[in-house]
Amino acid sequence: MSERKQIVAMLLAGGQGSRLVPLTKSTAKPAVPFGGKYRIIDFPLSNCVNSDIDTVGVLTQYQPLELNDYLGRGEPWDMNLKFGGLHVLPPYEGEEGADWFLGTANAIYQNLRFIRQYNPSYVLILSGDHIYKMDYRIMLQEHIENNADCTISVIDVPLEEASRFGIMTTDSTGRITEFNEKPEHPNSTLASMGVYIFSTDKLIQYLTEDDLDPESDSDFGKNVIPRMLNAGQRMFAYLYGGYWKDVGTLDSFWAANMDALGDNPDLFLNDPAWRIYYRHRNTHPEYMAPTAHVVNSITGDGGSLYGSVANSVISSDVFIDTDATVNDSVVMALGKIGKGTRIEHAIIGYEAVIGENVVIGEPLSGGSALTVLGPGVHIPDGTVIPAGSVLSVDDMPGGDGTGDGASAEEKGGR
Amino acid sequence: MDAAGIIIADNIADLSPELTQQRTLAAVPFGGKYRLIDFGLSNMVNADISTVGLIMHQQYDSVMHHVQSGAEWDLDRKRGGLRYLPPLSSAGSTLTEHTRVEALRNNLFYLRQMNEKYVVICGSGYAGSVDFRALLDDHIEKDAFITCFFSNNVANATPLHQRMGLVTDEDGRIRSFDAAQREALASESTMSTVVIARQDLIDLIEWLDHLPGTCSPTETLQRIIDERKVYAHITDELVIYLEDLPGYLSGNLSLLQYEVRRDLFHAPTGPVVTKTKDSPATRYSETANVTNSVIADGAIIEGEVRNSVIFRGARVKRGAVVENSVIMQDSTVGEGAHLNHAILDKEVIINDGRLLSGYLTHPFYCKKGERI
């Protein structure tokens, strides 16, 4: 058994995800369910294991309970190892006091000891809020060939979107000459994906310098990368051509789910050569009733579908009753949708109970705004929820009015 | 619970030769994502039995590949946990109802090294969520020598104790059964689940060892019921028999009934646990039309599916029609093909346009890896 690792990944999973509320109201963004089966964090973790990276520190901070439970000892990703493996790294109290992670760079700085115990040549920095399938080995190979100090993975974005990202300008060899965080007038379309490879000694050097700078926000994009660039370090861009989506907003989260649909989806989840691993629930195969009609959709296990579903992502253990219609929507696990209810262009959080003859949202074809119901929301029979509404369980009146949420299947024993 | 478990992954050759040509009955796929052994293992762990021996004889590759370390069932433990008991001293012999007692005798060393007071022994011939704790409690309460589990609620066949002509007294003590029912008795070995005190089991095996010839469990029962307290624990817990090919088809299709799914998958004892595959979600295309069917994850449905059970990773292509059938893992039904009362084993490919039909009593069976 080796005494060191060539590369260690550090996964930033502490973000609050305030733009994903109500989905992140009581859970960290990386633990938000995605694609019928997964949590967002399954994507970077599966990319790691598929790229032969077996040692990952997951930096948690905001609402970590559900995320920690989900990660466990990393068994789903084959990361329950004696040397290396998955380690959850929460903020801690040291000799000089307890610090919350102040920024992305500070979070790594506070865990340099974790990195040092594996004595890696390289450190891969990842975010817990991106949906993509990427072979980090190719990026590492470029990093090594370029004799780089830091390699930043970039995608080519449309010019009109460039001001939402950190934008790189490179020379003909791919070496970064300029970096601008969310520039008003971008002069390049190479956008940072928030995926960095550092040579370990340089990472330690610049995180230590950053820590000594009282003016710094301790952020990779804002502080560390510009500091390294100014100091003339060898910084390279790695152009990634595959699917990548930042699911930091409700609209982009919905859109990424929709990208998994269709016969030739942009986000292909059925690739046996690049499996996305996840922690399983003990669910049985789903039942499609005689009245069911499900097209252009993906569905999880354990559910019973009696209604109609089109262009939607339905997670595990969802019950959809007869004459209910779900179009262009994401329904998370353990949802119950009553008879005659119509759901259009919406996200329904897990354990939501929707009564009978409810109307949620308006058809996507009419250019409607996305409607979002948070986890655990109960909607009484006959309610109309206008398009564009974003409701969490706190917005609901006291009584839910739908009884115990028992489905017709359970009541009637069909 | 103060009991260990023994699961016997045996093969009753007459039962379903097609399905068990390359695997033991324990490894026969069932219900979209399970293998029969999942029920035995889940029933054990749901009753807090955490020491489980797995006796195997032939073709045990698929069982071992499925169960692995037992981690899915939390049986990868330092204390107790899963123990594989492959044939060491009896290589080459087949494990049938006649040699079942012999199989236990070969593993006396394991029975002796356990600490648990009782042993629950179960075969692998049925699917059912059975409360082994209630079985043991009943055994202890009646101060029985052996307690045998039977169900009144068999989804797809006549309950075994009725076939056996089992006669019990009011208390449930077995007084007699019809030993002439050879067929029924052969089934009995795989269907039954029994509980016995560990020391009683060791003594019984040693006693049988001194008798001439081999002795099946039913023959053993026959010898002892007059002197020993052998009880029947008869419940209404749902059980599905998978004795032969028609039974295999009807057993799978019984999952289309709500009550069967409820009793099997939502039993108060706990979930049925199986090996995880990290399959993606089930995918339905624009042309899919699926009604009254059980569909596992990772399946891709582009055609019509009615009254069928579709396993993980199976694919039904555009224009294909699948009715009253069981399509096992990673099999493909080609464009425009039409299947009725068919059982496709794993990794079968049905070429475009094929029309294949059997009947409920005579299912059309296609063996693993075949191409039609």
Side-chain angles (χ1 to χ4, degrees), chain A residues 329-340:
Chain A
S329 294
V330 176
V331 180
M332 293 184 186
L334 298 158
K336 286 188 197 311
I337 296 168
K339 265 195 185 72

Side-chain angles (χ1 to χ4, degrees), chain B residues 19 48 67 116 151 192 199 211 221 229 265 271-272 294 336 362:
Chain B
L19 290 164
D48 291 335
V67 178
E116 289 80 359
S151 171
S192 72
Q199 192 55 51
L211 302 177
L221 280 188
K229 288 163 73 176
F265 300 130
V272 184
V294 165
H362 294 80

Side-chain angles (χ1 to χ4, degrees), chain A residues 137-147 151 237-238:
Chain A
R137 287 172 297 196
I138 302 169
M139 180 179 173
L140 178 62
Q141 193 57 39
E142 280 201 12
H143 180 85
I144 293 168
E145 281 166 11
N146 288 329
N147 193 25
T151 301
Y238 165 74

